Amino acid sequence: MAERSFVAEVEKLRLSEGEVFRGEGILAVTKALLESGVAYIAGYQGAPISHLMDVLADAQDILAGYGIRFENSASEATAAATLSASVNYPLRGAVTFKATVGTNVASDALANLASGGVTGGALVIVGEDYGEGSSIMQERSHAFAMKSQMWLLDPRPNLPCIVQAVKDGFDLSEASHTPVMLQVRIRSCHLHGQFVASDNRAPAFTVKDALENPVRDVDRIVLPPASFLHEREKVQQRWPAAVRFIQERGLNEFFFEDAADVGIALQGGLYNALIRALQRLGLANVHGDSRIPLYVMNVAYPLVDAEFERFCQGRRALLILEEGQPNFIEQNVADILRRLGLPTALHGKDVLPLAGEYNTATVCGGVRAFLEQYGVLQPESGQVQHVPAQAATVEPAMARLATVESAVDVPDEVLPPLEQTVLPRPPGLCTGCPERPVFTAIKLVERELGTHHISADIGCQLFSILPPFNLGSTTMGYGLGAASASAFNVAPGGTPAARRAISIMGDGGFWHNGLTSGVANAVFNQSDNLTIIVDNDYTAATGGQDILSSHAHNPTRSTGHAIESAVRGVGVKWVRTLQRTYDLKAMTGALREALTTSKPGPKVLIAQSECMLNKQRREKPLVRKAVAAGRRVVRERFGVDPDTCTGDHSCIRLSGCPSLTIKDNPDPLRQDPVTAVMDSCVGCGHCGEVAHAAVLCPSFFRASIISNPTRWDRLRHRLRTTVIAWLQRGEARRRAKYAF
C-alpha cells in the first residue's frame, strides 16, 4: 500500500496532441515517457523519485494498452541490468532510482551497459536528493557519468523543459549509442506546472518483437577483445556524436549574451535559484529577463568546447554555478579555456561554498561577490554600477526593487544564528511505530548483558541511532546491516567473545541486498552474531510499496513469501519469528536467548508488526466512514494519571513516542512536570508495556473511546461513574479525618 495513490491523476496521461497538461513533475516525466515511445520501464523506489514508481504502478492499464512492460525491480542493480534489452534491439527503455545510493548499487550494471553501448535509447532517470533535505551521503551522480562515459542531462526546473529533456535523452542516446542519465532534482520532482501535450506513442519495436526475432552481436558483449575496443569507441565515435547532437539540437541555452562583459555558466537545475538571486540583486525580473549573460547547461556532461568558446569570447570573467564537490565542471572549463587560449578569468568555488545545497540565499551571496569584484555591483550596496544598453529588456524598476529589499532586510549581525533560536528536530519514528519496541527491548536487555556493537541499516530502523535509543555504530548501505557486522566475529577455534555483535535491517533491505550479502554470507562464514530483521509488511521508508513478504494482496505482484522461509533456505538454523513486536516481554526474552545461547552459527530474529503509518492510512478512512454511518466504533487510547505520575519521564526516555509529552504537575508541592499522552496516540500500547517492563510506575491507563455507544454502553458508563464517585468520596473523607 503506497503512501499516496495516483489513480485519479494518471488519467491525465491519456491527454492527446494540443491539450494542456497540468500537474506535478513526476506525472510530467511519465507523460513524456509515453510520448517518447518507450517499450519498457523498470526501477526501484527512493526519495525523491519514489512517486514515479507509484505513478507507473497506478498507470499499468495505460502502459499495457501501449504494450509497455513495467517492472518493480528488486534493486537498482536489477533495474539497471534491465536496460540490456536496448543493447541489441531498437527498444527504448527507461529505469529510475534514487541517486546517488541507487547509482552506487547499479554502478556495475551501468558500467557494463556503457561499455558495450546501446542500439535503442536507454534513459536512466535519477532523483537527485542533495543538501540538508537529503537522506543520503552528500555525493553526486556526475561522477558516475564521467567514470562510465554516460551523458548527464540536468534540465531547467519547469515542466516543458523536463518533458523535452526526456525526449531529447532518448534521441541523444540513440544518436551516440550511449545510455543517458537524466537528473531530476527534488524540487523538480514535486513542482507543479503545465505544458502542451503530444500524442502518446506505442513503441515502434516491442519486447514481444525482440523475443520473436532474437539478435546477437559479439562486439556488444563486454568480453575481450571487444571490451578493449569499447573505450576507444567511446572517445572516438560516441563522444563526438553526442557533442554534434547537443549542438545541432541546441540542448544547452544562451540567454542575453550581449548584456555584459561578464557571464554565468550554470547547471540547468540551478536556473530558478539563480534567477531569484538576480532578482534580489536588481539584475533580473520575474520573467527571467537578466542583465547578466547566462549559459545554461541542460547537458551537464559532456561539456561542449565550442559553446564555451562562443560564450567566453570578449568576456572578462566567467562564474561557474555548480552544486556539490568536487567541482567537476569548473575543472573541465578551466581545461577548455586553457586549451583555447582564452583570457577569461574563471570563478566558482572561490566565491561559492564548496559543499551544501545552493539555495537562493547561497547563490545570491556568491553572485554578489563575483559581480562586486568586476564592478557590476557596487560593494555592499546591491546597486547596479554598470549595465550595457543591450539589457534594456529588464525593467528599470528592478534596481529600485533591490534598494527597497536592502532597506527592509534585517542585517545578519542583528539576528542570532538559527540554531540558537530554534531547537533542532531530529528525524524519528512515527507514533505507534512497531520498530520502537524492538529498540526498547534492546536497551532493556543491554541493562542486563552490557552494551553491544550494533550495525545499523538504511531505512526507518536507522532512526534508532538518535535519542532516546542511541543505538547503532555504523551504516554502510541498504541491506548491508548484517554485512556490516561480518568483521565482528571471532575466528573459528578462537576463544568465544563475551558478547555478540547485533545487526539490524528492515524487510525492504533484506529483499534488496540483505539475504545474500548479509544472511547467506553469515552462514557461509560461520558467523555467531545476531541479525534482527524488522518486518513491517512494506518498504515503509520509501513510501509503503509492497515487497515479497507483504501480506496484502497485490493483483500484479506475488506477495506473501515469508522471510523465515528464505532465511532457513540459505542455511540459518537458529531463527525466531515474533508476530507482535509490541509484546515487550516476548521481545526481551527472544533477544536474551539469541545473545546468550550456546548454539553456534548465525542467529536471526524476525520482528513482525505492520507499519503503523500504513495501517492508519488504511483504517482511519474506514473508522470515519463507520462513525458517519452511525455504527459503534471502539478506539483504544492510553493516558497518564497525573496524581500517580512521579515525573521521572523514564517512559519517554525508553519509548520516544511523539505522542508522549509533558505538562504542569497538578500537585502544588511538586515541581517536576508530569507525562501526558497527546490526542495523536494510536493505542499501540507500547508506552504501557515499557512502564511495566522497566518497573517504572502504575500511572499509565488504557481507555476505550466509544463512538455511537449503545444503551448498554451508556448504562455501564453510568454505573462505573457512580461507583468511582462513591469510592472517591470515601477516600476524601478518610483523608480529611487524618489530615490534622
Side-chain angles (χ1 to χ4, degrees), residues 161-179:
C161 288
I162 294 171
V163 169
Q164 189 59 44
V166 172
K167 299 176 180 180
D168 290 337
F170 282 118
D171 292 340
L172 174 59
S173 176
E174 291 169 347
S176 60
H177 300 290
T178 304

Side-chain angles (χ1 to χ4, degrees), residues 256-463:
F256 309 102
E257 286 187 81
D258 300 326
D261 58 0
V262 297
I264 300 175
L266 64 143
Q267 295 169 286
L270 296 176
Y271 177 81
N272 289 2
L274 174 62
I275 290 299
R276 177 59 182 147
L278 291 174
Q279 289 178 36
R280 293 186 62 83
L281 295 172
L283 296 169
N285 61 19
V286 294
H287 304 292
D289 300 324
S290 171
R291 295 186 178 186
I292 304 299
L294 305 178
Y295 172 45
V296 181
M297 294 173 284
N298 294 313
V299 182
Y301 184 80
L303 300 187
V304 181
D305 294 22
E307 292 185 350
F308 272 95
E309 182 177 20
R310 164 187 165 181
F311 189 69
C312 292
Q313 283 290 353
R315 230 173 281 287
R316 287 185 296 158
L318 175 68
L319 173 65
I320 302 295
L321 200 58
E322 173 187 12
E323 193 173 54
Q325 184 71 7
N327 53 344
F328 298 122
I329 296 177
E330 187 178 345
Q331 294 178 37
N332 199 341
V333 173
D335 175 70
I336 292 173
L337 296 180
R338 180 65 180 267
R339 283 189 287 104
L340 294 176
L342 294 174
T344 306
L346 184 63
H347 297 272
K349 298 296 184 181
D350 56 334
V351 295
L352 287 157
L354 294 177
E357 184 180 12
Y358 280 7
N359 54 30
T360 299
T362 303
V363 173
C364 190
V367 171
R368 179 191 291 274
F370 169 70
L371 296 179
E372 286 178 350
Q373 185 173 345
Y374 288 92
V376 179
L377 288 178
Q378 295 177 359
E380 300 181 359
S381 70
Q383 292 288 333
V384 180
Q385 180 175 352
H386 169 71
V387 178
Q390 292 92 328
T393 53
V394 181
E395 301 171 12
M398 292 304 299
R400 296 195 297 273
L401 175 61
T403 307
V404 173
E405 288 187 348
S406 300
V408 299
D409 285 349
V410 180
D412 292 339
E413 59 270 20
V414 175
L415 298 175
L418 192 62
E419 59 269 18
Q420 295 181 11
T421 58
V422 179
L423 293 176
R425 181 185 180 273
L429 300 166
C430 302
T431 301
C433 177
E435 299 187 15
R436 187 175 284 108
V438 178
F439 308 131
T440 299
I442 294 174
K443 296 293 288 186
L444 292 173
V445 170
E446 283 191 333
R447 287 183 176 183
E448 305 172 29
L449 306 179
T451 305
H452 290 66
H453 175 87
I454 299 177
S455 295
D457 202 319
I458 302 298
C460 298
Q461 61 276 356
L462 190 57
F463 295 142

Side-chain angles (χ1 to χ4, degrees), residues 453 455 474 480-489 501-503 527 529-530:
H453 175 87
S455 295
T474 58
L480 294 177
S484 299
S486 58
F488 297 95
N489 194 42
I502 301 173
S503 59
S527 170
N529 296 328
L530 168 63

Side-chain angles (χ1 to χ4, degrees), residues 89-143:
Y89 304 96
L91 290 167
R92 284 193 164 186
V95 299
T96 178
F97 39 74
K98 177 191 184 94
T100 55
V101 289
T103 317
N104 288 337
V105 174
S107 59
D108 197 18
L110 291 176
N112 280 277
L113 182 73
S115 182
V118 295
T119 301
L123 189 65
V124 183
I125 305 170
V126 294
E128 192 74 359
D129 192 10
Y130 192 76
E132 292 186 13
S134 171
S135 60
I136 61 171
M137 75 291 287
Q138 297 296 282
E139 294 187 356
R140 303 168 60 194
S141 306
H142 200 114

